[in-house]
Amino acid sequence: MIEILPIKLLTDEDAPIFGNLSVALGKLSRFGLPVGQAFAVTPPNLKLKTVFEHHDFGTKEVFTQSLTSVEKEIRQIPVPEALSHELKKHKKFLLNSKEFKSIKNLWLALLSFWLDQIKHRLWNKGFYPGITEELDPQIVVAIKKIEGLCSSYFDPMQDDVAISIKSGKAHPADLKKIMKLTELANKKLFIPHEYEWIIDDGVKLTGIKPYTPAVTGILPPIVLSCKASPCEAKSAVKVYFELSKGYAIERSDGVYIDSGKVFNPDKPKESFEDLAFKLVESATTFPDSPVLFKLADIPEDQGKVRGALRLLHQTSLFNPLISVLDFARHKKGLINIHIVIPYVRGVNELLQIKRELAVKNLARKNSLGIWLEVCVPENIINMESYFEAGIDGVVLNLDELISNLNGFDHQEGELAFYKQEVEGLIKFLGDGIKLLHKSKIPFIAYGSLTLNSKILEFLVEKGVYGIVVERYEAHSAYDLLRQIERKIVTHIHL
């Protein structure tokens, strides 16, 4: 059974259940700060415990084999009555900076968050009694129409409030208000925190995070790099960090940036600067690692024209991306950046994109690889034709592929269970991967299916060059890869 309470009602007595940060948000609400209409939600511990106790998690290897059935059972947990009762008057919700338009989709997202926490514990410590306990409570905010998402904290080095606009826009008056409210909130809580804000019919506070000021001049850099110990978790398969959102300081085998998640055609100037900074920063931070820059795949509202086709016919989308590449490669001299062509429906589209790139002095050469994102079955069927057109690597977008093969929209949360039906995808990819090996073209895997145990074991066995994961998943990914590689090697020797 879950617990759910409006944030404004939380007191110190509720901290053991809802957490100190939720209680602090409740305090600020009572102090008169404009806190959004938020609710604190705890996980369904009893049901999660019941699901996990019905499976054998004695070893990590058994866990990877059982994960699919566990995920299915957890996603079938119905929406609790308490959640439906509290939220029934609202139509849109915000959870971890993502919007949801139904209580059911919100509930699936909550379950997914808690499941990820449990998986992280399993990968790091194995199964133990109480593994489903003390999961992080979550804050759900009822919203109407969000104009912007921001975060703020007081920077003692600059003696001023630092504000970051995560998405949307914020009027200067709103930013000024956030600055004053950040200082006021720190005074009320006595300890500095980082604050999350939305612009939704005014500025509203929606979350609090611990704030730790950056410490410089105390530990030499070499100590920090040793602490990260990247070589302790290595595998033959490369792990690329998905850095379309956020940054990383630890060493990486490679970086993957989806420009469509950063560049916004409706706000070209602001998002162009963000994209240029992110690309240059990533390529500079990892000078010895390849940075794969995927051209934007943004569907149009009408007609759903997307991928390479839209890039070819809409210069307002294509040209800014080329300008970012030109700036990073030619003006900054960052030659570890390579290009990924998105959502190609035929060889002719690939050839046209390559011609447009060549005109912009971004032709394929030793220092500039052109990678093909494989999203539709046609790409696999006509793989040899793409080789003849000239590519340096392939990105298997597993979510798009299974969506097109199984006939569902992978972005619809209610249809997510179809993603677990991976047997057909595995069979379909077999011949295409053989051709890739025959032509000595590397391929990497991308998408939420990458860490599916069946898919990952198949890919490792077939010689996948690398996988793309979120930065926070890197450690677990290395751990899982090493287990699978050890299992495959043992099986071969037997």
Side-chain angles (χ1 to χ4, degrees):
M1 178 177 178
I2 73 163
E3 298 281 350
I4 176 170
L5 273 180
I7 285 292
K8 61 183 179 181
L9 300 180
L10 297 183
T11 64
D12 290 332
E13 296 176 355
D14 299 307
I17 299 175
F18 294 101
N20 292 324
L21 296 177
S22 298
V23 170
L25 192 60
K27 287 182 180 179
L28 293 179
S29 177
R30 290 191 295 278
F31 280 133
L33 273 77
V35 175
Q37 194 166 2
F39 303 83
V41 185
T42 63
N45 289 326
L46 182 59
K47 292 191 176 182
L48 292 174
K49 180 181 178 182
T50 303
V51 171
F52 276 86
E53 283 182 347
H54 280 81
H55 292 81
D56 180 10
F57 292 101
T59 64
K60 292 181 180 179
E61 287 80 1
V62 174
F63 164 67
T64 59
Q65 296 172 3
S66 306
L67 181 58
T68 300
S69 59
V70 170
E71 289 179 337
K72 282 184 178 180
E73 287 187 47
I74 289 178
R75 289 193 177 94
Q76 289 172 359
I77 297 176
V79 179
E81 291 184 10
L83 187 71
S84 298
H85 178 73
E86 287 287 351
L87 303 181
K88 63 183 179 181
K89 296 181 181 179
H90 308 285
K91 296 181 179 180
K92 293 175 68 177
F93 312 94
L94 186 72
L95 173 68
N96 294 327
S97 300
K98 294 183 179 179
E99 292 188 27
F100 298 90
K101 296 182 179 180
S102 71
I103 296 176
K104 185 173 182 180
N105 287 343
L106 172 68
W107 176 240
L108 289 173
L110 285 166
L111 290 175
S112 179
F113 175 86
W114 290 316
L115 177 60
D116 285 343
Q117 270 199 298
I118 298 172
K119 282 164 33 176
H120 183 75
R121 295 176 181 181
L122 279 164
W123 280 324
N124 283 280
K125 298 180 181 179
F127 183 80
Y128 58 88
I131 194 170
T132 62
E133 297 176 3
E134 297 183 359
L135 299 172
D136 293 339
Q138 292 297 289
I139 294 176
V140 174
V141 185
I143 58 175
K144 294 180 180 178
K145 184 178 181 181
I146 293 181
E147 297 178 13
L149 291 170
C150 306
S151 64
S152 68
Y153 63 90
F154 184 81
D155 187 348
M157 299 295 291
Q158 299 183 14
D159 193 28
D160 199 1
V161 173
I163 301 176
S164 173
I165 301 176
K166 295 182 177 181
S167 66
K169 60 182 179 180
H171 191 273
D174 294 329
L175 297 177
K176 186 176 181 179
K177 187 174 182 180
I178 289 174
M179 291 178 68
K180 291 182 178 179
L181 289 172
T182 300
E183 293 177 343
L184 177 60
N186 279 341
K187 290 179 181 178
K188 295 296 184 182
L189 298 178
F190 301 108
I191 300 175
H193 289 78
E194 181 178 346
Y195 304 95
E196 295 178 335
W197 310 85
I198 59 172
I199 314 297
D200 182 11
D201 193 21
V203 172
K204 295 176 182 177
L205 178 61
T206 59
I208 302 178
K209 295 180 180 179
Y211 169 67
T212 304
V215 179
T216 59
I218 296 178
L219 295 176
I222 189 160
V223 176
L224 293 175
S225 62
C226 289
K227 185 177 180 181
S229 299
C231 14
E232 285 183 6
K234 275 295 177 183
S235 61
V237 177
K238 307 295 183 183
V239 174
Y240 286 66
F241 287 177
E242 219 288 7
L243 296 185
S244 304
K245 297 180 180 178
Y247 299 91
I249 58 172
E250 59 264 54
R251 209 171 92 194
S252 166
D253 295 328
V255 174
Y256 191 90
I257 296 176
D258 182 352
S259 63
K261 295 180 179 180
V262 185
F263 183 74
N264 184 349
D266 296 328
K267 302 169 184 176
K269 184 178 179 181
E270 178 186 80
S271 58
F272 175 87
E273 293 174 354
D274 291 343
L275 182 59
F277 176 78
K278 184 175 291 292
L279 181 60
V280 170
E281 185 74 10
S282 299
T284 304
T285 305
F286 306 104
D288 300 322
S289 302
V291 176
L292 297 183
F293 181 82
K294 175 184 167 182
L295 300 180
D297 177 16
I298 305 175
E300 284 186 332
D301 294 334
Q302 296 180 350
K304 295 297 181 183
V305 176
R306 57 177 293 191
L309 183 61
R310 185 176 184 187
L311 290 170
L312 287 169
H313 292 88
Q314 189 170 348
T315 56
S316 61
L317 177 61
F318 184 66
N319 288 343
L321 304 179
I322 299 305
S323 298
V324 169
L325 283 166
D326 178 66
F327 174 75
R329 281 189 57 90
H330 300 145
K331 294 184 180 179
K332 290 294 183 179
L334 300 170
I335 59 173
N336 58 330
I337 298 171
H338 308 281
I339 302 173
V340 179
I341 311 298
Y343 207 91
V344 175
R345 295 180 178 85
V347 178
N348 287 334
E349 286 186 0
L350 174 65
L351 291 172
Q352 290 182 58
I353 285 280
K354 288 183 65 179
R355 280 194 290 268
E356 293 296 329
L357 290 171
V359 170
K360 305 292 185 179
N361 199 23
L362 292 168
R364 180 186 176 215
K365 50 190 172 184
N366 291 336
S367 64
L368 177 58
I370 302 293
W371 287 58
L372 171 71
E373 183 190 35
V374 170
C375 296
V376 297
E378 186 275 346
N379 302 153
I380 299 292
I381 295 170
N382 293 323
M383 187 65 73
E384 287 181 301
S385 300
Y386 289 98
F387 297 161
E388 293 173 3
I391 56 174
D392 297 284
V394 163
V395 179
L396 296 176
N397 191 321
L398 300 177
D399 291 345
E400 293 284 1
L401 281 168
I402 198 169
S403 177
N404 286 310
L405 277 173
N406 290 9
F408 72 100
D409 185 347
H410 67 90
Q411 295 180 342
E412 289 291 335
E414 297 178 0
L415 302 177
F417 62 91
Y418 280 118
K419 281 189 179 181
Q420 307 309 318
E421 309 298 331
V422 298
E423 289 77 10
L425 177 63
I426 289 173
K427 291 179 182 178
F428 182 73
L429 289 176
D431 291 339
I433 290 177
K434 286 180 182 178
L435 286 174
L436 287 167
H437 283 306
K438 184 179 179 181
S439 303
K440 298 181 180 180
I441 292 180
F443 69 98
I444 64 174
Y446 175 88
S448 61
L449 277 179
T450 301
L451 295 180
N452 176 286
S453 56
K454 290 183 181 179
I455 287 285
L456 190 57
E457 188 168 335
F458 164 76
L459 292 172
V460 172
E461 189 174 4
K462 296 300 182 182
V464 65
Y465 181 76
I467 62 173
V468 181
V469 300
E470 299 286 349
R471 181 188 58 78
Y472 59 82
E473 295 176 327
H475 178 77
S476 301
Y478 276 124
D479 194 17
L480 192 55
L481 284 168
R482 283 182 294 141
Q483 294 174 38
I484 293 174
E485 289 169 355
R486 186 165 56 246
K487 178 181 177 181
I488 291 174
V489 171
T490 304
H491 179 72
I492 291 174
H493 286 292
L494 290 175

